[in-house]
Amino acid sequence: MTVENAEAGRLGRHLRLFEPGQRLGWVYRDPESLRHPFTEPEPMREQTPSGYENRAEAARLDYADRRTSALKIGGGVAAACFLLSAFVGAAMVVVGVLAILVGLARVAHATHRLTTAAGGLSTQQASLEQRFQSNWQSWQLRRQQHADAQTRWIAGLDAWGTLPAGPDTRRLDIFGGSQRSREGFLTVFGSSTLQERPLIVVDLTQALVCRELAVLAEATGMPVDVQLLPSRMAESSIVSGLAPHELVDALVEAVHGDNAEAGRAERAIDTRILTQLCTALGEDVSLARVGAGLRVLMGEADESKSLSRGERKHIADDLLNDKNKDQVRDSLFRLMSFVHPLERLGVARAGRGPGYLTCIALDFSTGSASTELLADLAVHSVTRRLATFQEDAPSVVVALGEQGLQRRYLEQLAQVCERRGAQLTFLHPHLRDAAEQVIGSGAVGFMKLGNHQEANIAADFLGRHHSFVLHSLTDTEGRTVNTSVAKTIGSSFSKGTTESHSVTRGDNWGSSTSTSYQGGDNPLSTSTSSNSGGSYSESASTSTSSTYTTNESTTHTTGDSDSTSLASGRQRVYEYAVEPTQLQSLAEFSLLLVERQPGGAVRVHAADCNPNVVLLDRVSTRSLPQFSLPAGTPVAGPGKAQPPYPTTAQHQPYAPVVQSDTRQQPQWPSSAQQPQPPAGDRAMGWPQQPQPSPQTPPDGWTQGPAPTWPGRQPGGYQ
């Protein structure tokens, strides 16, 4: 048990669990993650305007130039005048003095300009520095004010909030977890539910996980009805107020509950026997009288005083003849064996008022057929009562044990709750058998699933998503060396013959006449000549040429190459949205609530179910408000989400109470003992049972208007 058994005054802050707002667990958020940074940039020094620097530089250069001129020109003129004054006269001295005065005047004027420009530059720089210091101090003040305001704002924020149950959540199935974690969830969820409506808890775990909730509820002043089976079955109301035919149906269904394929004949025979027996018993029908009647039919001695002598005679002689008794003897023996351990069921219920919190729990007794029968009767009783309630139906939580429950019982109860609009919650210790068949019928939550097969089933339910992952890396390095030698030898021979023949013929002829003057007696001289000739030539030639060619070549080729390649490959994979190993490694009080969104996407809400979280500082019993994150704030992606439960010792509110001996060996009265009076309840750690009241009906499931419990106001318990 995660909350110590204590008086209301010592429970203190645990009673905050009953504040309004139905919650499934706690969600942690670091308030520092909401701090907004100061975004105003730091002021920078302004640059001095270039005009001031230019004027100062110009004045400096002018001063240097005039000083140089005065030294060179003025000094030279004055020296020359003083030298010439010895020859020219005193007038030259006056001229030299004037030259010196003019140079000094120019230097003085340049000095004044330089001083003025340098002073203006210094004044401007001082003004800019003063402005910068003023702006920087103002910026520092605003930054400090922002930091102080953020600190004050964050100091007022809660670090822990709640994971609320959806407004339309009518059914919730929680799978996995340990006894401590299921006890913590029941305390957190049940206490917040009690602020809105009555609650019925059917605890079949045989670990009494409802004990913590009952202690806290009793501390607030709520009427709490705790029914322990089988040790205190006499105070139970699971068969109170049942009509004879309803009791017959419940017994037959419970007897054959472990055999889903039980024949109709067996059920019909058992129903017929019990119906005739209940008819013979008249209006006063109880399990004690039914058990006595079955013993009479079997011919066994009955030492109880449940039946009168006339009733025994009528049942023995008139209900069944001898032939029929022989035929149904097996059925009679089976019914008697099941009913006999339950004959005290509800006999001491008279005067017990209804409980705003009703806990029907199997205690630490070893498993037996009667214990399993009581578990089935408890579920049937809740189903039947819900079906006949006239007022608003309460919320129902069924904490299943290791042996589980038949699927048809779960579905019958779920159908009745859906029809009545009652909220139904199942706590399944494992995800197998009937639990695996009903997953997805409503909202689903997962706690730690240690078994790998159950974790795989849960991961399959959460679904898969596509992603691209690195699947291969290829690193190749190679070297190639090629060497080749080629040798070529060749030769060629060519021979050629050339013949030529030519004939040349020629003829020529001519005549000439000439006249010459010589003087004298023969002044004229005339001569005539003629000639003719011919020629003939013939030539023939023959030439022969032969050519021999030989060539030889050798080629050497060498090649050397290196190659290196690095390649990565990605492929699309279909991975679990939540890996099975993550479900196996959840913290003890961690809860993952699955939310199906439109389009098939899955959103998982994480919470912590430890009720001792309420003892920490900065814990709200409402959902944490949503704030916009500042720009640039990193957002956690898949696989990097901040854990909603504390990961350090200073955040772990759970301090286990050393009570192993008490839990394993509780001082409950055995089933063979007479139940203790209500005054002994507080000594055993259970809430004190309400005292009998003459105005309180004997049935804790009374139909009619919902009672107004002491201390309950319209807004809840005060």
Side-chain angles (χ1 to χ4, degrees), residues 496-502 539-545:
T497 301
T498 304
E499 294 183 358
S500 64
H501 180 75
S502 64
S539 63
S541 62
T542 300
S543 62
T544 300
S545 63

Side-chain angles (χ1 to χ4, degrees), residues 440-495:
S441 301
V444 175
F446 295 107
M447 304 183 87
K448 184 176 181 179
L449 293 168
N451 185 274
H452 69 284
Q453 294 181 350
E454 297 178 10
N456 287 332
I457 295 173
D460 287 332
F461 175 79
L462 289 169
R464 301 169 183 263
H465 63 271
H466 295 285
S467 63
F468 288 89
V469 299
L470 181 67
H471 75 95
S472 64
L473 287 173
T474 303
D475 187 0
T476 304
E477 182 176 355
R479 180 181 180 86
T480 304
V481 178
N482 297 321
T483 302
S484 61
V485 178
K487 185 175 183 180
T488 304
I489 300 176
S491 62
S492 62
F493 170 75
S494 62
K495 182 178 182 181

Side-chain angles (χ1 to χ4, degrees), residues 169-507:
T169 302
R170 290 299 181 186
R171 176 173 174 178
L172 176 63
D173 289 87
I174 304 296
F175 299 92
S178 62
Q179 293 180 3
R180 294 168 62 199
S181 60
R182 292 196 296 274
E183 181 181 35
F185 172 81
L186 182 58
T187 300
V188 174
F189 177 73
S191 58
S192 60
T193 302
L194 285 171
Q195 190 58 249
E196 301 178 357
R197 62 181 71 92
L199 177 63
I200 301 173
V201 178
V202 182
D203 183 2
L204 307 180
T205 62
Q206 294 187 303
L208 299 180
V209 298
C210 63
R211 178 178 179 178
E212 180 178 277
L213 176 61
V215 171
L216 291 175
E218 191 266 347
T220 64
M222 293 183 185
V224 179
D225 181 18
V226 177
Q227 304 177 24
L228 294 180
L229 304 174
S231 60
R232 291 164 57 180
M233 68 171 65
E235 303 172 11
S236 177
S237 64
I238 62 176
V239 294
S240 300
L242 288 178
H245 70 279
E246 293 174 337
L247 180 60
V248 170
D249 293 340
L251 284 175
V252 173
E253 187 66 26
V255 168
H256 296 280
D258 60 340
N259 186 7
E261 304 297 331
R264 294 182 179 178
E266 296 179 1
R267 292 174 179 266
I269 292 173
D270 292 348
T271 302
R272 177 64 176 172
I273 294 173
L274 292 176
T275 301
Q276 289 183 333
L277 181 58
C278 291
T279 302
L281 295 176
E283 297 296 332
D284 186 9
V285 178
S286 65
L287 286 176
R289 288 169 57 82
V290 170
L294 290 173
R295 285 193 295 273
V296 171
L297 288 175
M298 285 292 297
E300 295 183 358
D302 181 26
E303 298 179 357
S304 66
K305 299 180 181 180
S306 302
L307 299 178
S308 65
R309 181 177 298 178
E311 289 174 332
R312 288 193 184 94
K313 183 178 179 181
H314 172 66
I315 293 173
D317 298 338
D318 301 333
L319 197 62
L320 294 174
N321 56 40
D322 294 339
K323 182 178 180 181
N324 290 339
K325 289 181 182 179
D326 293 337
Q327 292 178 347
V328 298
R329 183 166 297 275
D330 292 340
S331 297
L332 288 173
F333 187 77
R334 178 174 60 247
L335 291 174
M336 185 184 65
S337 300
F338 275 103
V339 173
H340 176 68
L342 310 180
E343 291 184 5
R344 295 195 51 79
L345 186 61
V347 297
R349 181 65 184 179
R352 294 282 296 277
Y356 195 73
L357 170 62
T358 301
C359 297
I360 305 174
L362 298 180
D363 55 16
F364 295 111
S365 61
T366 58
S368 63
S370 61
T371 302
E372 297 175 1
L373 183 63
L374 283 172
D376 294 345
L377 282 176
V379 176
H380 283 297
S381 176
V382 173
T383 303
R384 202 275 308 175
R385 294 302 206 279
L386 288 175
T388 57
F389 264 1
Q390 299 299 321
E391 66 272 13
D392 292 339
S395 182
V396 179
V397 176
V398 180
L400 300 173
E402 294 293 329
Q403 75 278 3
L405 205 64
Q406 292 294 327
R407 176 182 176 183
R408 64 179 184 274
Y409 296 163
L410 303 180
E411 292 179 345
Q412 289 172 1
L413 179 58
Q415 290 174 0
V416 172
C417 290
E418 183 178 3
R419 184 171 65 250
R420 292 301 312 278
Q423 191 179 50
L424 175 62
T425 303
F426 285 113
L427 301 182
H428 305 270
H430 299 284
L431 185 52
R432 62 193 183 200
D433 301 332
E436 182 180 357
Q437 298 171 358
V438 300
I439 187 172
S441 301
V444 175
F446 295 107
M447 304 183 87
K448 184 176 181 179
L449 293 168
N451 185 274
H452 69 284
Q453 294 181 350
E454 297 178 10
N456 287 332
I457 295 173
D460 287 332
F461 175 79
L462 289 169
R464 301 169 183 263
H465 63 271
H466 295 285
S467 63
F468 288 89
V469 299
L470 181 67
H471 75 95
S472 64
L473 287 173
T474 303
D475 187 0
T476 304
E477 182 176 355
R479 180 181 180 86
T480 304
V481 178
N482 297 321
T483 302
S484 61
V485 178
K487 185 175 183 180
T488 304
I489 300 176
S491 62
S492 62
F493 170 75
S494 62
K495 182 178 182 181
T497 301
T498 304
E499 294 183 358
S500 64
H501 180 75
S502 64
V503 176
T504 303
R505 294 179 182 276
D507 294 324

